[in-house]
Amino acid sequence: ESAGQHELDWTLLAAIGYQESHWRRSAVSPTGVRGIMMLTRATADYLGIDNREDPAQSIAGGAAFFARLKERLSDDIPEPDRTWMALAAYNVGFFHLKDAREIVRMQQGDPNRWVDVRAALPLLAQRRWYQRVEHGYARGWEPVTYVENIRNYRSIQKWLERRDSAPTRPEAPEEESAPTTEAEIVAQR
């Protein structure tokens, strides 16, 4: 339902929830994010979520937040790069993603391509790079792993969905056993 309201693929939303909390409704991180979609208190307040541990509210909030992150990205970013960058922003924050895109520009890469941004994100943990961008240090390797995990979980979900929706093959007829008695041999003639 939440995926449909925000024009998201349900398998993507499910994969985000699995990466965030392993679908545990009462998950809590050391930093205080909570629920299936691991929303901060500030994000929950912004989205009008009263109970981050309520699965329906958490999923609705996570879907709305992810959709807003995608909308905030430059219109020049095509799919699927746009989705991967929005996922990275969900994990590390929009402004750290913006900084990684700035590093890509400094390196003469394409800030609209996930492959280039993916390479730049870990640089946010290196002093020589994070001192040159507006929002500073970030554990930039984490969103890279985060996006990769979600892509893998989503692939597994899609494979399971295809497998479960595939028509079943009719069972092969049982082979008749060879006649063993003289009466059976005569009966077959």
Side-chain angles (χ1 to χ4, degrees), residues 11 26 41 61-62 65 96 103 109 113 123 179 184 189:
T11 62
S26 59
R41 176 78 266 156
F65 185 57
H96 287 304
I103 290 172
R113 290 186 42 197
L123 300 177
E184 289 175 343
R189 289 186 191 158

Side-chain angles (χ1 to χ4, degrees), residues 8-105:
L8 301 172
D9 181 340
W10 76 266
T11 62
L12 178 64
L13 198 55
I16 295 170
Y18 188 76
Q19 172 64 28
E20 288 289 344
S21 67
H22 288 249
W23 298 324
R24 291 187 327 242
R25 68 185 296 156
S26 59
V28 181
S29 85
T31 61
V33 295
R34 298 180 176 271
I36 289 174
M37 301 303 278
M38 294 301 251
L39 301 174
T40 65
R41 176 78 266 156
T43 298
D45 289 345
Y46 170 71
L47 297 168
I49 303 300
D50 297 323
N51 181 356
R52 293 179 288 166
E53 293 184 17
D54 174 77
Q57 288 188 47
S58 183
I59 293 167
F65 185 57
F66 179 74
R68 289 181 186 179
L69 288 169
K70 277 185 79 169
E71 288 170 9
R72 288 180 72 182
L73 291 169
S74 168
D75 291 338
D76 296 335
I77 302 171
E79 285 295 348
D81 302 78
R82 182 179 205 80
T83 294
W84 312 146
M85 287 190 213
L87 286 170
Y90 192 102
N91 177 257
V92 76
F94 185 81
F95 292 110
H96 287 304
L97 174 71
K98 186 176 173 183
D99 284 349
R101 293 183 71 224
E102 183 57 31
I103 290 172
V104 171
R105 282 185 196 91

